[in-house]
């Protein structure tokens, strides 16, 4: 009796009803974190808003624990317009936008949040302005006639947003009512030319793009309604505003100083204030100088560690046992930095420098030491 070997079942790909050739005209880049509940509604909204246009959407997910990228992949299996990029070991809205935009071959790129607060119905008008050659960047603005900012959750977030806008407008080379907007569109060729100059820091990439462009940028604004959040979590907080300030300083220094170093120095300045406040409080309570100085220094170090772990090294944040180990090393590093600060200041004082100059020299050496060791030993890149 002959035996016929069974053949393994081979699954053949389902043939699409329409063969897709070439690249779409528009790539919508959506940086996201914990937005699983918003993915399907956003794709449906884009489908309606961009009817008759050739488009795709790229979700750039920073390894969300809620399975955002899995929802994207499920949709991508049946919808060629949906793509996903999963990033592991790094976080940040600006870098997510950069990676998503650089993955595109479309002539036009739009950027919007994944929280359904941006008005996707304005995308068509934004792309049409670019296609007509009227401008280089089109911004969906909450602060022009017809725009609305009521979707921000509370007065605190309104204050943060308004404060950031006023700060940004002082720096901008063009008149822009909403420089903090995360909803904008531009030509891909302009983005590619500008990308090597971008800092990639923080959450507000629009200002980074305008300030980093190799040539003057023509900007237009279209009114946009900022809707209330339905799901996910807001990324606008005080730390975001600090990152925005660090971006501004980075542009002022024209990249001569690393933006992370600027952030580290800003945190150090906060530590100085904390130290003084604690010392004064203890002095008023009857403590001696030595004891007050020691407690103030320790509290300042703990404050600096928390801020650096939360803000300066947000993309390398330590958690659990690694955080406690990092804290111990940080305290040791800062103690050595303080010793170096005093030693250098004393050395400069001995050469005839006044107290202020000697103290400043010591402070510079101390912060450089702390930054160098913190970046290479405590919050080293993976």
């Amino acid at each position: 009796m002959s035996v016929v070997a069974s053949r393994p079942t081979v699954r053949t790909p389902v043939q699409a009803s329409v063969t897709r050739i070439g690249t779409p005209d528009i790539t919508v880049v959506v940086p996201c974190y914990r937005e699983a509940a918003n993915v399907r509604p956003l794709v449906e909204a884009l489908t309606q808003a961009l009817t008759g246009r050739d488009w795709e959407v790229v979700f750039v997910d920073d390894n969300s624990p809620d399975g955002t990228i899995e929802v994207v992949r499920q949709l991508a299996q049946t919808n060629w317009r949906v793509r996903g990029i999963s990033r592991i070991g790094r976080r940040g809205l600006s870098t997510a936008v950069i990676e998503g935009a650089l993955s595109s071959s479309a002539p036009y790129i739009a950027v919007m949040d994944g929280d359904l607060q941006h008005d996707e119905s304005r995308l068509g008008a934004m792309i049409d302005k670019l296609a007509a050659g009227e401008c280089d960047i089109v911004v969906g603005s909450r602060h022009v006639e017809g725009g609305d900012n009521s979707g921000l959750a509370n007065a605190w977030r309104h204050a943060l947003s308004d404060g950031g806008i006023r700060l940004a407008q002082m720096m901008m080379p063009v008149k822009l009512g909403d420089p903090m907007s995360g909803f904008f569109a531009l030509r891909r060729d302009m983005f590619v030319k500008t990308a090597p100059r971008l800092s990639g820091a923080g959450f507000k990439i629009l200002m980074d793009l305008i300030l980093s462009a190799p040539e003057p940028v023509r900007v237009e604004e279209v009114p946009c309604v900022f809707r209330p959040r339905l799901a996910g979590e807001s990324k606008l907080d005080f730390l975001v505003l600090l990152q925005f300030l660090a971006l501004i300083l980075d542009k002022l220094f024209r990249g001569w100083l690393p933006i992370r170093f600027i952030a580290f120095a800003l945190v150090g300045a906060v530590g100085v204030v904390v130290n003084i406040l604690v010392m004064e409080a203890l002095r008023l309570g009857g403590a001696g100088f030595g004891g007050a100085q020691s407690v103030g220094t320790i509290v300042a170090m703990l404050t600096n560690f928390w801020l650096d772990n939360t803000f300066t090294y947000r993309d390398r944040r330590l958690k659990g046992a690694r955080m406690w180990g990092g804290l111990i090393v940080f305290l040791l590093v800062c103690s050595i930095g303080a010793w170096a600060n005093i030693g250098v200041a004393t050395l400069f004082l001995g050469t005839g420098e006044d107290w202020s100059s000697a103290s400043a020299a010591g402070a510079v050496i101390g912060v450089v030491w702390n930054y160098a060791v913190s970046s290479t030993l405590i919050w080293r890149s993976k």
Side-chain angles (χ1 to χ4, degrees), residues 279-300:
M279 283 182 60
E280 285 300 309
L282 292 176
R283 183 183 67 82
L284 293 175
F289 176 80
Q293 170 71 356
S294 299
V295 174
T297 300
I298 293 173
V299 173

Side-chain angles (χ1 to χ4, degrees), residues 222-256:
V222 298
C224 175
V225 175
F226 194 70
R227 298 183 293 228
R229 173 182 292 274
L230 298 179
E233 58 186 37
S234 176
K235 302 170 184 64
L236 180 61
D237 55 24
F238 182 68
L239 294 178
V240 169
L241 192 59
L242 286 179
Q243 286 183 321
F244 191 61
L245 177 60
L247 170 63
I248 291 176
L249 292 175
D250 176 67
K251 295 307 175 184
L252 284 174
F253 285 111
R254 298 182 182 275
W256 293 342

